[in-house]
Amino acid sequence: MNKEYLNVIVADHDEGNLVCFKDILKDLKIEVKIQMFWSGTELMGYLKNKNNIIPEVLFMAYNLAEKNAVECLEEIKSDERFNNMVNVFYSDHFSDLEMDEIFVKGANVCLKRPDEYKAFKKVLTEVITVNWQYHTSGMNKDNFIMKVG
């Protein structure tokens, strides 16, 4: 069955970032159903509930509150229910070492968040578009890695 939309989760303790994501994602040509969480603890509580929908794409702020994003990713990667979920880490800046660690732990996308809204909209649209192509074509997401920004 092929859906006409993507389920997306954004986890970030910064309300400004959440509003920005929401504004950008609602304007895309691809329909997106979005859920937002304020902390890693809240996110993992949702994901661990077997009755909840597993998103196709998960955006996590690198500096996530309560439980950091790397800890969340380790938990996610240990559960095969999440094998088809694309994990996107984002931050205003990453060191090369941080990026390497994120990819080694199993993230699919590392996104340096631009300061300008227009630039952020462009990179976010690119990430969603590529994910949509994987989603609709049935391509193998196991080999999907992307650096943006």
Side-chain angles (χ1 to χ4, degrees):
M1 182 176 99
N2 224 357
K3 295 188 297 186
E4 305 263 331
Y5 59 88
L6 285 175
N7 284 300
V8 174
I9 288 180
V10 180
D12 194 328
H13 63 277
D14 184 318
E15 187 174 357
N17 285 343
L18 293 175
V19 169
C20 203
F21 266 95
K22 196 172 195 173
D23 288 345
I24 291 170
L25 293 174
K26 74 177 171 107
D27 288 340
L28 296 177
K29 291 179 181 169
I30 299 164
E31 186 178 341
V32 174
K33 293 190 178 185
I34 186 170
Q35 289 184 280
M36 299 187 165
F37 297 96
W38 290 85
S39 71
T41 304
E42 192 179 53
L43 168 68
M44 293 312 299
Y46 172 86
L47 289 176
K48 286 180 179 178
N49 183 332
K50 293 185 187 327
N51 296 322
N52 291 333
I53 293 170
I54 296 171
E56 284 79 35
V57 184
L58 168 61
F59 289 91
M60 283 189 284
Y62 183 66
N63 296 314
L64 199 52
E66 291 178 19
K67 180 181 280 197
N68 76 46
V70 173
E71 291 172 321
C72 291
L73 182 62
E74 288 171 344
E75 280 187 52
I76 288 166
K77 287 302 185 179
S78 71
D79 189 333
E80 66 185 30
R81 292 183 309 125
F82 305 119
N83 286 352
N84 291 323
M85 185 170 68
V86 171
N87 298 285
V88 181
F89 274 60
Y90 66 92
S91 180
D92 295 337
H93 57 281
F94 286 108
S95 70
D96 289 340
L97 187 61
E98 288 169 331
M99 278 191 182
D100 290 346
E101 177 190 18
I102 292 165
F103 284 129
V104 166
K105 299 268 184 191
N108 303 95
V109 180
C110 212
L111 187 148
K112 285 186 183 175
R113 188 182 181 284
D115 292 333
E116 287 183 21
Y117 180 83
K118 264 186 167 177
F120 184 46
K121 184 174 184 174
K122 182 180 179 195
V123 297
L124 198 52
T125 301
E126 180 181 351
V127 169
I128 290 293
T129 301
V130 169
N131 276 288
W132 181 250
Q133 290 168 347
Y134 270 81
H135 177 68
T136 57
S137 70
M139 291 167 48
N140 184 355
K141 291 181 186 174
D142 291 342
N143 303 319
F144 175 50
I145 293 179
M146 182 177 182
K147 249 188 216 185
V148 184

